[in-house]
Amino acid sequence: MTIWNIILESNTFNFLVLVLLIAFLMKKLDVASALENLKNKIVKRIEDSKTEKENALSELKKAEKAVENLDNEIKEHYEFAEKNIDGVIKQTDANTLNQVQHIEQNADIAIKNEEKQISAQILKATATKALSGAKEKIIARLNEHPELHEKYINEAIEDIDKVKL
């Protein structure tokens, strides 16, 4: 029994039992395939990361290329806007000037029309007063000299006779 005791107490035996136990567990738990699957997942993640990195670099280059002429494009848009603004200002000035001239012409026409109406009203009022004054003078003269009635009537008849001939 001493050999058996020595074997049981020796580290070699314990190591051998431990190796057998690990080998049995590895076979039972299929550690090799689990390690292989884990290795494959890690390799796939590394490849995916490389692909993502390449895609990101490609997108970065596209973005850099798109922004490359941004200063020139901004400058062109600014110059275009300035030209448009100048054109709009000139057009607005021209339109305003035309409208001012049109308003002035309309005002002149309105003033002339108003002057004509006022002149016509003054002439009418003056004529009405003159006729009224003349009528009053004629009536007064006829009242003073009744013989003129007949004279004027005879003259009117003569004028009518001349027209008939």
Side-chain angles (χ1 to χ4, degrees):
M1 258 224 299
T2 59
I3 292 184
W4 186 249
N5 278 343
I6 293 177
I7 291 176
L8 286 177
E9 290 178 5
S10 77
N11 283 339
T12 308
F13 178 72
N14 288 338
F15 180 72
L16 191 57
V17 169
L18 182 64
V19 168
L20 288 175
L21 183 63
I22 290 175
F24 174 75
L25 285 175
M26 283 180 69
K27 191 167 190 162
K28 203 63 163 160
L29 294 176
D30 199 16
V31 173
S33 70
L35 287 175
E36 187 65 29
N37 285 340
L38 186 61
K39 178 185 149 193
N40 289 338
K41 286 181 184 178
I42 292 172
V43 168
K44 185 171 181 348
R45 281 191 179 169
I46 290 171
E47 289 175 3
D48 289 345
S49 295
K50 286 180 182 178
T51 304
E52 287 296 321
K53 180 182 175 184
E54 289 174 7
N55 290 341
L57 287 174
S58 172
E59 290 296 320
L60 177 63
K61 286 180 183 178
K62 287 179 186 176
E64 286 174 347
K65 199 171 201 176
V67 177
E68 191 173 87
N69 292 326
L70 188 61
D71 287 338
N72 290 336
E73 289 177 13
I74 290 173
K75 185 178 178 182
E76 288 174 5
H77 286 290
Y78 181 75
E79 290 171 357
F80 180 74
E82 278 186 340
K83 288 178 184 176
N84 282 345
I85 288 172
D86 288 342
V88 168
I89 289 172
K90 288 177 184 176
Q91 185 64 38
T92 303
D93 286 346
N95 289 345
T96 303
L97 183 61
N98 286 339
Q99 286 186 351
V100 166
Q101 290 173 346
H102 186 69
I103 290 169
E104 286 175 350
Q105 289 172 351
N106 287 344
D108 288 343
I109 291 169
I111 289 170
K112 287 177 184 176
N113 287 339
E114 193 66 28
E115 285 174 351
K116 286 178 184 177
Q117 286 180 350
I118 290 171
S119 292
Q121 288 174 354
I122 290 172
L123 280 173
K124 184 179 178 184
T126 305
T128 303
K129 280 192 173 193
L131 286 174
S132 178
K135 181 180 173 184
E136 287 174 8
K137 281 185 180 182
I138 291 170
I139 291 171
R141 189 134 193 239
L142 287 173
N143 287 334
E144 289 174 6
H145 304 287
E147 70 274 0
L148 290 176
H149 269 288
E150 244 179 83
K151 178 184 172 192
Y152 290 140
I153 292 171
N154 289 334
E155 285 177 5
I157 291 171
E158 287 175 15
D159 286 340
I160 292 172
D161 284 339
K162 285 182 189 176
V163 174
K164 284 185 182 179
L165 295 173

